Amino acid sequence: MLMKTAITVLALAFALLTNVVTLAQDGEEPRAPYFQSRAFNVPILAGWDDQSGESFAQFHLAEAQATIRTTTRAERDPIAAAEAELAMLTSLRAPPPSYSGKVNLADGTWHVLVYDLEEETTASVMARVAADRVAVISFIERDPAARTAVLTLARSDGSHEVASREMIFAADTLAATAPSDLLQEESVTLPSGEWAVYAGEGMTVMGLVFGNDSYVALQQGEQGDLAALADAYNRTLLGFFITPDNRHYLALALAVVFVILGALVGSLFWRERGLRKDLTVLEELARAEE
Amino acid sequence: MADKAKSLPGELRIEGPPQPRALRLLTVVTVLGFAATLVLGLGLAGVDIQQGEIQRIFYIHMPSFFGAFTAFGLTVAGGLLYLARKSEKWDRIALAGVEVGLAFSLINLLTGAIWARPIWNTWWTWDPRLTSAAIMCLTYAAYLMLRAGIEDAGRRRAFMSVYGILAFVTVLITLFIIRIVPETIHPMIVGASPQKAQGSFEATSGVVIALIPSLLLWLTLMPITIIWHRVRLEERMEALHRLKMQALSE
């Protein structure tokens, strides 16, 4: 009878599993390609030249002379890590930052830094402590005709759906431009979201609201690919994540599985042993009576 | 042991027929299959880049529920057939199904809690799926306690058959609740996850390759093999009980 039951269950299981496989294959959609490493993961930027190595993700857009690079560094201090990263990338010693602040994102507190390294090189860096290292995302623009910076700012007023206050703050801080010099243009929709656009003489500012923060990109001089740059940096920052190290939880879960299965199978042996002992006692009693 | 049994009064034997070749074969295949699924899930399947290594417990967590489903399903079948035919062998299958199903349910519940700690940042939350799984475990634990508390064998078998059939409602509720109640954070791997699901991952071909053998093993071989062993043990335990009663009466 058990054999018949087993065959029936196997047949049902086969039918169920065939259905599961079909569903799983139907549900498989193409995913955004990711640069993956043990230390971190970031989206691969389509249309950008991929110059990534084993321990860093680096993408370069030749027409904008812009590079977005993500890595982790051994320095314990985020600002020191950011400046060491820039020194390594540009061979330039970082001057005091044009802007320095902090912002709390979902994965932790990031330091936000903007440096004017030399006449044609501007660097925007975000850095945060990640376990025993510091994660650094750098945006470096070397176009002599333009100056481009990207900033992440905590929203000063959560009721506004447009990052107008943060855009004006960025223009004032980085370009010393009075708010009255900026005019609001139509918004632009990019893969990262709908960005507001403010324009002034020789300057464009773009802003995106996401959660409690605003993402601002500012470009001075010859107007070029600000939308593409802002979008790429934003997707890198929001797509950045570190694979958690939770091997000890897996070990604990496996220990629980083995303990329960061991107890189940062990109880069969234990009861079998008890049964044999009882039988021996009964046998001895029977002999004694004889 | 057979010799010992022969020397006992009344020529009673507690040793059942020798272990069938099919059971021995099934045991070997099950042990090897379990080892193979561990290699697939813990070694060959890739690391989920968002959840990390803990995602691998999914290759045991979900199949163990389906193993419990099979075991509790056999309890229902055993209960129905006992009520229809009054043969003790069906009651033994029902009892074995509860013991094995409860162990598998505990594996499901505890591995889920351990997964939740790093992914949901809590060991436990009163989510509909988790709550119904806990109620299911308690219902079947109560089966074993109630069974031990009923003296009369005939009444015990009849009552527990009905209990085992009705208790299966908790299994069905646990299985379908995340498709009925949208207010759940428990992810679904096959089909679209609920809107509030936390810690979802896709059933990619890599996941499916590690999952299917494990699901097949836990759904069929593991419950059937252990239940079969448990049924044989129960037969011998009942025979020993009869022997004890006989010895006491003499």
Side-chain angles (χ1 to χ4, degrees), chain B residues 100-131:
Chain B
V100 174
L102 183 59
F104 286 9
S105 311
L106 284 175
I107 288 174
N108 173 259
L109 204 62
L110 293 176
T111 54
I114 294 167
W115 171 87
R117 182 66 185 88
I119 303 299
W120 290 347
N121 202 29
T122 181
W123 296 100
W124 184 264
T125 177
W126 294 104
D127 178 83
R129 166 58 73 84
L130 274 65
T131 307

PDB file of all heavy atoms in Angstrom, chain B residues 100-131:
ATOM      1  N   VAL B 100       6.241  13.216  11.391  1.00  0.00           N
ATOM      2  CA  VAL B 100       7.192  13.667  10.363  1.00  0.00           C
ATOM      3  C   VAL B 100       6.818  15.080   9.893  1.00  0.00           C
ATOM      4  O   VAL B 100       7.690  15.955   9.748  1.00  0.00           O
ATOM      5  CB  VAL B 100       7.219  12.669   9.183  1.00  0.00           C
ATOM      6  CG1 VAL B 100       8.070  13.185   8.037  1.00  0.00           C
ATOM      7  CG2 VAL B 100       7.730  11.318   9.665  1.00  0.00           C
ATOM      8  N   GLY B 101       5.535  15.309   9.667  1.00  0.00           N
ATOM      9  CA  GLY B 101       5.085  16.626   9.200  1.00  0.00           C
ATOM     10  C   GLY B 101       5.407  17.722  10.200  1.00  0.00           C
ATOM     11  O   GLY B 101       5.818  18.820   9.820  1.00  0.00           O
ATOM     12  N   LEU B 102       5.254  17.404  11.488  1.00  0.00           N
ATOM     13  CA  LEU B 102       5.537  18.407  12.519  1.00  0.00           C
ATOM     14  C   LEU B 102       7.033  18.754  12.527  1.00  0.00           C
ATOM     15  O   LEU B 102       7.403  19.934  12.630  1.00  0.00           O
ATOM     16  CB  LEU B 102       5.099  17.892  13.891  1.00  0.00           C
ATOM     17  CG  LEU B 102       5.260  18.859  15.062  1.00  0.00           C
ATOM     18  CD1 LEU B 102       4.466  20.142  14.831  1.00  0.00           C
ATOM     19  CD2 LEU B 102       4.811  18.210  16.366  1.00  0.00           C
ATOM     20  N   ALA B 103       7.882  17.739  12.390  1.00  0.00           N
ATOM     21  CA  ALA B 103       9.332  18.007  12.351  1.00  0.00           C
ATOM     22  C   ALA B 103       9.673  18.879  11.144  1.00  0.00           C
ATOM     23  O   ALA B 103      10.443  19.847  11.256  1.00  0.00           O
ATOM     24  CB  ALA B 103      10.098  16.689  12.287  1.00  0.00           C
ATOM     25  N   PHE B 104       9.091  18.572   9.991  1.00  0.00           N
ATOM     26  CA  PHE B 104       9.367  19.355   8.780  1.00  0.00           C
ATOM     27  C   PHE B 104       8.817  20.786   8.922  1.00  0.00           C
ATOM     28  O   PHE B 104       9.443  21.743   8.462  1.00  0.00           O
ATOM     29  CB  PHE B 104       8.749  18.680   7.557  1.00  0.00           C
ATOM     30  CG  PHE B 104       9.490  17.441   7.094  1.00  0.00           C
ATOM     31  CD1 PHE B 104      10.509  16.884   7.854  1.00  0.00           C
ATOM     32  CD2 PHE B 104       9.161  16.814   5.898  1.00  0.00           C
ATOM     33  CE1 PHE B 104      11.189  15.749   7.440  1.00  0.00           C
ATOM     34  CE2 PHE B 104       9.837  15.686   5.460  1.00  0.00           C
ATOM     35  CZ  PHE B 104      10.846  15.139   6.241  1.00  0.00           C
ATOM     36  N   SER B 105       7.643  20.905   9.558  1.00  0.00           N
ATOM     37  CA  SER B 105       7.063  22.251   9.754  1.00  0.00           C
ATOM     38  C   SER B 105       7.952  23.089  10.658  1.00  0.00           C
ATOM     39  O   SER B 105       8.103  24.291  10.449  1.00  0.00           O
ATOM     40  CB  SER B 105       5.700  22.178  10.417  1.00  0.00           C
ATOM     41  OG  SER B 105       4.906  21.271   9.775  1.00  0.00           O
ATOM     42  N   LEU B 106       8.515  22.446  11.687  1.00  0.00           N
ATOM     43  CA  LEU B 106       9.410  23.181  12.591  1.00  0.00           C
ATOM     44  C   LEU B 106      10.656  23.644  11.839  1.00  0.00           C
ATOM     45  O   LEU B 106      11.146  24.753  12.052  1.00  0.00           O
ATOM     46  CB  LEU B 106       9.802  22.307  13.787  1.00  0.00           C
ATOM     47  CG  LEU B 106       8.718  22.136  14.847  1.00  0.00           C
ATOM     48  CD1 LEU B 106       9.167  21.149  15.916  1.00  0.00           C
ATOM     49  CD2 LEU B 106       8.378  23.477  15.500  1.00  0.00           C
ATOM     50  N   ILE B 107      11.159  22.784  10.955  1.00  0.00           N
ATOM     51  CA  ILE B 107      12.315  23.190  10.131  1.00  0.00           C
ATOM     52  C   ILE B 107      11.929  24.406   9.299  1.00  0.00           C
ATOM     53  O   ILE B 107      12.659  25.402   9.224  1.00  0.00           O
ATOM     54  CB  ILE B 107      12.778  22.019   9.229  1.00  0.00           C
ATOM     55  CG1 ILE B 107      13.458  20.949  10.078  1.00  0.00           C
ATOM     56  CG2 ILE B 107      13.712  22.510   8.123  1.00  0.00           C
ATOM     57  CD1 ILE B 107      13.836  19.690   9.322  1.00  0.00           C
ATOM     58  N   ASN B 108      10.745  24.343   8.701  1.00  0.00           N
ATOM     59  CA  ASN B 108      10.259  25.455   7.871  1.00  0.00           C
ATOM     60  C   ASN B 108      10.139  26.738   8.686  1.00  0.00           C
ATOM     61  O   ASN B 108      10.622  27.807   8.287  1.00  0.00           O
ATOM     62  CB  ASN B 108       8.914  25.056   7.266  1.00  0.00           C
ATOM     63  CG  ASN B 108       8.254  26.184   6.524  1.00  0.00           C
ATOM     64  OD1 ASN B 108       7.350  26.833   7.038  1.00  0.00           O
ATOM     65  ND2 ASN B 108       8.703  26.445   5.317  1.00  0.00           N
ATOM     66  N   LEU B 109       9.538  26.620   9.854  1.00  0.00           N
ATOM     67  CA  LEU B 109       9.282  27.798  10.688  1.00  0.00           C
ATOM     68  C   LEU B 109      10.590  28.397  11.218  1.00  0.00           C
ATOM     69  O   LEU B 109      10.801  29.620  11.158  1.00  0.00           O
ATOM     70  CB  LEU B 109       8.394  27.378  11.867  1.00  0.00           C
ATOM     71  CG  LEU B 109       7.547  28.443  12.529  1.00  0.00           C
ATOM     72  CD1 LEU B 109       6.552  29.033  11.553  1.00  0.00           C
ATOM     73  CD2 LEU B 109       6.798  27.858  13.724  1.00  0.00           C
ATOM     74  N   LEU B 110      11.481  27.557  11.703  1.00  0.00           N
ATOM     75  CA  LEU B 110      12.710  28.065  12.323  1.00  0.00           C
ATOM     76  C   LEU B 110      13.699  28.584  11.290  1.00  0.00           C
ATOM     77  O   LEU B 110      14.345  29.610  11.507  1.00  0.00           O
ATOM     78  CB  LEU B 110      13.355  26.972  13.192  1.00  0.00           C
ATOM     79  CG  LEU B 110      12.529  26.590  14.419  1.00  0.00           C
ATOM     80  CD1 LEU B 110      13.177  25.438  15.179  1.00  0.00           C
ATOM     81  CD2 LEU B 110      12.369  27.781  15.361  1.00  0.00           C
ATOM     82  N   THR B 111      13.801  27.902  10.147  1.00  0.00           N
ATOM     83  CA  THR B 111      14.721  28.422   9.117  1.00  0.00           C
ATOM     84  C   THR B 111      14.195  29.754   8.581  1.00  0.00           C
ATOM     85  O   THR B 111      14.972  30.652   8.259  1.00  0.00           O
ATOM     86  CB  THR B 111      14.924  27.430   7.958  1.00  0.00           C
ATOM     87  OG1 THR B 111      13.638  27.065   7.433  1.00  0.00           O
ATOM     88  CG2 THR B 111      15.675  26.195   8.377  1.00  0.00           C
ATOM     89  N   GLY B 112      12.875  29.883   8.524  1.00  0.00           N
ATOM     90  CA  GLY B 112      12.281  31.157   8.083  1.00  0.00           C
ATOM     91  C   GLY B 112      12.601  32.273   9.063  1.00  0.00           C
ATOM     92  O   GLY B 112      12.939  33.389   8.667  1.00  0.00           O
ATOM     93  N   ALA B 113      12.522  31.961  10.359  1.00  0.00           N
ATOM     94  CA  ALA B 113      12.824  32.976  11.381  1.00  0.00           C
ATOM     95  C   ALA B 113      14.288  33.396  11.310  1.00  0.00           C
ATOM     96  O   ALA B 113      14.616  34.584  11.443  1.00  0.00           O
ATOM     97  CB  ALA B 113      12.491  32.431  12.766  1.00  0.00           C
ATOM     98  N   ILE B 114      15.161  32.426  11.068  1.00  0.00           N
ATOM     99  CA  ILE B 114      16.598  32.753  10.999  1.00  0.00           C
ATOM    100  C   ILE B 114      16.892  33.571   9.734  1.00  0.00           C
ATOM    101  O   ILE B 114      17.691  34.505   9.764  1.00  0.00           O
ATOM    102  CB  ILE B 114      17.445  31.451  11.049  1.00  0.00           C
ATOM    103  CG1 ILE B 114      17.258  30.793  12.420  1.00  0.00           C
ATOM    104  CG2 ILE B 114      18.911  31.742  10.793  1.00  0.00           C
ATOM    105  CD1 ILE B 114      17.768  29.372  12.505  1.00  0.00           C
ATOM    106  N   TRP B 115      16.209  33.254   8.639  1.00  0.00           N
ATOM    107  CA  TRP B 115      16.354  34.059   7.407  1.00  0.00           C
ATOM    108  C   TRP B 115      15.854  35.491   7.657  1.00  0.00           C
ATOM    109  O   TRP B 115      16.451  36.462   7.185  1.00  0.00           O
ATOM    110  CB  TRP B 115      15.543  33.399   6.281  1.00  0.00           C
ATOM    111  CG  TRP B 115      15.427  34.212   5.031  1.00  0.00           C
ATOM    112  CD1 TRP B 115      16.311  34.245   3.983  1.00  0.00           C
ATOM    113  CD2 TRP B 115      14.365  35.112   4.666  1.00  0.00           C
ATOM    114  NE1 TRP B 115      15.858  35.104   3.013  1.00  0.00           N
ATOM    115  CE2 TRP B 115      14.677  35.651   3.408  1.00  0.00           C
ATOM    116  CE3 TRP B 115      13.188  35.514   5.292  1.00  0.00           C
ATOM    117  CZ2 TRP B 115      13.852  36.562   2.753  1.00  0.00           C
ATOM    118  CZ3 TRP B 115      12.367  36.427   4.641  1.00  0.00           C
ATOM    119  CH2 TRP B 115      12.703  36.942   3.393  1.00  0.00           C
ATOM    120  N   ALA B 116      14.755  35.593   8.391  1.00  0.00           N
ATOM    121  CA  ALA B 116      14.143  36.908   8.594  1.00  0.00           C
ATOM    122  C   ALA B 116      15.035  37.850   9.393  1.00  0.00           C
ATOM    123  O   ALA B 116      14.983  39.066   9.181  1.00  0.00           O
ATOM    124  CB  ALA B 116      12.797  36.748   9.308  1.00  0.00           C
ATOM    125  N   ARG B 117      15.846  37.306  10.281  1.00  0.00           N
ATOM    126  CA  ARG B 117      16.655  38.178  11.151  1.00  0.00           C
ATOM    127  C   ARG B 117      17.555  39.115  10.335  1.00  0.00           C
ATOM    128  O   ARG B 117      17.499  40.328  10.535  1.00  0.00           O
ATOM    129  CB  ARG B 117      17.469  37.321  12.131  1.00  0.00           C
ATOM    130  CG  ARG B 117      18.300  38.138  13.111  1.00  0.00           C
ATOM    131  CD  ARG B 117      17.415  38.938  14.055  1.00  0.00           C
ATOM    132  NE  ARG B 117      18.175  39.813  14.918  1.00  0.00           N
ATOM    133  CZ  ARG B 117      18.530  41.059  14.615  1.00  0.00           C
ATOM    134  NH1 ARG B 117      18.209  41.568  13.445  1.00  0.00           N
ATOM    135  NH2 ARG B 117      19.215  41.796  15.463  1.00  0.00           N
ATOM    136  N   PRO B 118      18.370  38.628   9.413  1.00  0.00           N
ATOM    137  CA  PRO B 118      19.174  39.579   8.634  1.00  0.00           C
ATOM    138  C   PRO B 118      18.397  40.291   7.520  1.00  0.00           C
ATOM    139  O   PRO B 118      18.777  41.378   7.112  1.00  0.00           O
ATOM    140  CB  PRO B 118      20.292  38.705   8.031  1.00  0.00           C
ATOM    141  CG  PRO B 118      19.741  37.337   8.011  1.00  0.00           C
ATOM    142  CD  PRO B 118      18.781  37.236   9.157  1.00  0.00           C
ATOM    143  N   ILE B 119      17.323  39.684   7.025  1.00  0.00           N
ATOM    144  CA  ILE B 119      16.630  40.287   5.877  1.00  0.00           C
ATOM    145  C   ILE B 119      15.529  41.247   6.322  1.00  0.00           C
ATOM    146  O   ILE B 119      15.383  42.343   5.780  1.00  0.00           O
ATOM    147  CB  ILE B 119      16.030  39.182   4.964  1.00  0.00           C
ATOM    148  CG1 ILE B 119      17.130  38.220   4.486  1.00  0.00           C
ATOM    149  CG2 ILE B 119      15.302  39.786   3.761  1.00  0.00           C
ATOM    150  CD1 ILE B 119      18.244  38.850   3.665  1.00  0.00           C
ATOM    151  N   TRP B 120      14.746  40.858   7.319  1.00  0.00           N
ATOM    152  CA  TRP B 120      13.668  41.728   7.825  1.00  0.00           C
ATOM    153  C   TRP B 120      14.077  42.475   9.094  1.00  0.00           C
ATOM    154  O   TRP B 120      13.306  43.249   9.634  1.00  0.00           O
ATOM    155  CB  TRP B 120      12.414  40.891   8.163  1.00  0.00           C
ATOM    156  CG  TRP B 120      11.700  40.329   6.988  1.00  0.00           C
ATOM    157  CD1 TRP B 120      11.866  40.663   5.666  1.00  0.00           C
ATOM    158  CD2 TRP B 120      10.669  39.328   7.012  1.00  0.00           C
ATOM    159  NE1 TRP B 120      11.019  39.924   4.877  1.00  0.00           N
ATOM    160  CE2 TRP B 120      10.277  39.098   5.684  1.00  0.00           C
ATOM    161  CE3 TRP B 120      10.055  38.611   8.022  1.00  0.00           C
ATOM    162  CZ2 TRP B 120       9.288  38.175   5.340  1.00  0.00           C
ATOM    163  CZ3 TRP B 120       9.069  37.698   7.691  1.00  0.00           C
ATOM    164  CH2 TRP B 120       8.693  37.483   6.356  1.00  0.00           C
ATOM    165  N   ASN B 121      15.253  42.149   9.597  1.00  0.00           N
ATOM    166  CA  ASN B 121      15.768  42.755  10.831  1.00  0.00           C
ATOM    167  C   ASN B 121      14.934  42.361  12.058  1.00  0.00           C
ATOM    168  O   ASN B 121      14.853  43.108  13.022  1.00  0.00           O
ATOM    169  CB  ASN B 121      15.845  44.280  10.703  1.00  0.00           C
ATOM    170  CG  ASN B 121      16.831  44.868  11.681  1.00  0.00           C
ATOM    171  OD1 ASN B 121      17.805  44.214  12.054  1.00  0.00           O
ATOM    172  ND2 ASN B 121      16.575  46.082  12.130  1.00  0.00           N
ATOM    173  N   THR B 122      14.281  41.224  11.983  1.00  0.00           N
ATOM    174  CA  THR B 122      13.549  40.711  13.149  1.00  0.00           C
ATOM    175  C   THR B 122      13.453  39.198  13.027  1.00  0.00           C
ATOM    176  O   THR B 122      13.414  38.670  11.921  1.00  0.00           O
ATOM    177  CB  THR B 122      12.137  41.328  13.250  1.00  0.00           C
ATOM    178  OG1 THR B 122      11.494  40.819  14.409  1.00  0.00           O
ATOM    179  CG2 THR B 122      11.273  41.011  12.038  1.00  0.00           C
ATOM    180  N   TRP B 123      13.423  38.512  14.185  1.00  0.00           N
ATOM    181  CA  TRP B 123      13.264  37.055  14.142  1.00  0.00           C
ATOM    182  C   TRP B 123      11.836  36.682  13.798  1.00  0.00           C
ATOM    183  O   TRP B 123      11.590  35.653  13.189  1.00  0.00           O
ATOM    184  CB  TRP B 123      13.604  36.447  15.504  1.00  0.00           C
ATOM    185  CG  TRP B 123      15.025  36.625  15.929  1.00  0.00           C
ATOM    186  CD1 TRP B 123      15.501  37.565  16.802  1.00  0.00           C
ATOM    187  CD2 TRP B 123      16.170  35.864  15.516  1.00  0.00           C
ATOM    188  NE1 TRP B 123      16.853  37.427  16.955  1.00  0.00           N
ATOM    189  CE2 TRP B 123      17.292  36.387  16.181  1.00  0.00           C
ATOM    190  CE3 TRP B 123      16.356  34.783  14.648  1.00  0.00           C
ATOM    191  CZ2 TRP B 123      18.577  35.873  16.019  1.00  0.00           C
ATOM    192  CZ3 TRP B 123      17.626  34.266  14.479  1.00  0.00           C
ATOM    193  CH2 TRP B 123      18.711  34.814  15.151  1.00  0.00           C
ATOM    194  N   TRP B 124      10.901  37.533  14.205  1.00  0.00           N
ATOM    195  CA  TRP B 124       9.489  37.143  14.068  1.00  0.00           C
ATOM    196  C   TRP B 124       8.626  38.368  13.884  1.00  0.00           C
ATOM    197  O   TRP B 124       8.881  39.414  14.468  1.00  0.00           O
ATOM    198  CB  TRP B 124       9.037  36.379  15.322  1.00  0.00           C
ATOM    199  CG  TRP B 124       7.638  35.872  15.207  1.00  0.00           C
ATOM    200  CD1 TRP B 124       6.504  36.474  15.686  1.00  0.00           C
ATOM    201  CD2 TRP B 124       7.204  34.692  14.523  1.00  0.00           C
ATOM    202  NE1 TRP B 124       5.411  35.724  15.353  1.00  0.00           N
ATOM    203  CE2 TRP B 124       5.807  34.618  14.637  1.00  0.00           C
ATOM    204  CE3 TRP B 124       7.881  33.683  13.817  1.00  0.00           C
ATOM    205  CZ2 TRP B 124       5.061  33.589  14.072  1.00  0.00           C
ATOM    206  CZ3 TRP B 124       7.132  32.658  13.277  1.00  0.00           C
ATOM    207  CH2 TRP B 124       5.750  32.608  13.407  1.00  0.00           C
ATOM    208  N   THR B 125       7.597  38.252  13.077  1.00  0.00           N
ATOM    209  CA  THR B 125       6.594  39.297  12.971  1.00  0.00           C
ATOM    210  C   THR B 125       5.242  38.607  12.769  1.00  0.00           C
ATOM    211  O   THR B 125       5.197  37.520  12.186  1.00  0.00           O
ATOM    212  CB  THR B 125       6.908  40.274  11.823  1.00  0.00           C
ATOM    213  OG1 THR B 125       5.857  41.213  11.737  1.00  0.00           O
ATOM    214  CG2 THR B 125       7.083  39.571  10.492  1.00  0.00           C
ATOM    215  N   TRP B 126       4.171  39.216  13.252  1.00  0.00           N
ATOM    216  CA  TRP B 126       2.864  38.556  13.158  1.00  0.00           C
ATOM    217  C   TRP B 126       2.255  38.759  11.776  1.00  0.00           C
ATOM    218  O   TRP B 126       1.168  39.278  11.617  1.00  0.00           O
ATOM    219  CB  TRP B 126       1.938  39.032  14.285  1.00  0.00           C
ATOM    220  CG  TRP B 126       2.452  38.588  15.600  1.00  0.00           C
ATOM    221  CD1 TRP B 126       3.091  39.347  16.525  1.00  0.00           C
ATOM    222  CD2 TRP B 126       2.427  37.256  16.131  1.00  0.00           C
ATOM    223  NE1 TRP B 126       3.467  38.573  17.597  1.00  0.00           N
ATOM    224  CE2 TRP B 126       3.061  37.291  17.392  1.00  0.00           C
ATOM    225  CE3 TRP B 126       1.939  36.029  15.664  1.00  0.00           C
ATOM    226  CZ2 TRP B 126       3.219  36.156  18.181  1.00  0.00           C
ATOM    227  CZ3 TRP B 126       2.099  34.917  16.466  1.00  0.00           C
ATOM    228  CH2 TRP B 126       2.731  34.977  17.696  1.00  0.00           C
ATOM    229  N   ASP B 127       2.998  38.348  10.781  1.00  0.00           N
ATOM    230  CA  ASP B 127       2.557  38.375   9.390  1.00  0.00           C
ATOM    231  C   ASP B 127       1.553  37.229   9.171  1.00  0.00           C
ATOM    232  O   ASP B 127       1.662  36.185   9.839  1.00  0.00           O
ATOM    233  CB  ASP B 127       3.797  38.170   8.511  1.00  0.00           C
ATOM    234  CG  ASP B 127       3.465  38.134   7.044  1.00  0.00           C
ATOM    235  OD1 ASP B 127       3.345  39.211   6.451  1.00  0.00           O
ATOM    236  OD2 ASP B 127       3.314  37.018   6.491  1.00  0.00           O
ATOM    237  N   PRO B 128       0.564  37.371   8.280  1.00  0.00           N
ATOM    238  CA  PRO B 128      -0.414  36.286   8.095  1.00  0.00           C
ATOM    239  C   PRO B 128       0.216  34.921   7.802  1.00  0.00           C
ATOM    240  O   PRO B 128      -0.204  33.910   8.371  1.00  0.00           O
ATOM    241  CB  PRO B 128      -1.236  36.777   6.892  1.00  0.00           C
ATOM    242  CG  PRO B 128      -1.112  38.254   6.927  1.00  0.00           C
ATOM    243  CD  PRO B 128       0.243  38.550   7.479  1.00  0.00           C
ATOM    244  N   ARG B 129       1.244  34.870   6.944  1.00  0.00           N
ATOM    245  CA  ARG B 129       1.857  33.578   6.608  1.00  0.00           C
ATOM    246  C   ARG B 129       2.564  32.973   7.819  1.00  0.00           C
ATOM    247  O   ARG B 129       2.456  31.775   8.101  1.00  0.00           O
ATOM    248  CB  ARG B 129       2.814  33.770   5.427  1.00  0.00           C
ATOM    249  CG  ARG B 129       3.792  32.642   5.129  1.00  0.00           C
ATOM    250  CD  ARG B 129       3.169  31.295   4.839  1.00  0.00           C
ATOM    251  NE  ARG B 129       2.514  31.118   3.570  1.00  0.00           N
ATOM    252  CZ  ARG B 129       3.090  30.789   2.420  1.00  0.00           C
ATOM    253  NH1 ARG B 129       4.394  30.678   2.354  1.00  0.00           N
ATOM    254  NH2 ARG B 129       2.384  30.592   1.329  1.00  0.00           N
ATOM    255  N   LEU B 130       3.291  33.799   8.543  1.00  0.00           N
ATOM    256  CA  LEU B 130       4.031  33.296   9.703  1.00  0.00           C
ATOM    257  C   LEU B 130       3.066  32.843  10.800  1.00  0.00           C
ATOM    258  O   LEU B 130       3.276  31.800  11.433  1.00  0.00           O
ATOM    259  CB  LEU B 130       4.966  34.386  10.243  1.00  0.00           C
ATOM    260  CG  LEU B 130       6.347  34.495   9.596  1.00  0.00           C
ATOM    261  CD1 LEU B 130       6.244  34.916   8.141  1.00  0.00           C
ATOM    262  CD2 LEU B 130       7.227  35.463  10.334  1.00  0.00           C
ATOM    263  N   THR B 131       2.039  33.638  10.996  1.00  0.00           N
ATOM    264  CA  THR B 131       1.072  33.303  12.043  1.00  0.00           C
ATOM    265  C   THR B 131       0.363  31.994  11.712  1.00  0.00           C
ATOM    266  O   THR B 131       0.214  31.122  12.575  1.00  0.00           O
ATOM    267  CB  THR B 131       0.041  34.444  12.182  1.00  0.00           C
ATOM    268  OG1 THR B 131       0.753  35.670  12.364  1.00  0.00           O
ATOM    269  CG2 THR B 131      -0.883  34.220  13.361  1.00  0.00           C
TER     270      THR B 131
END
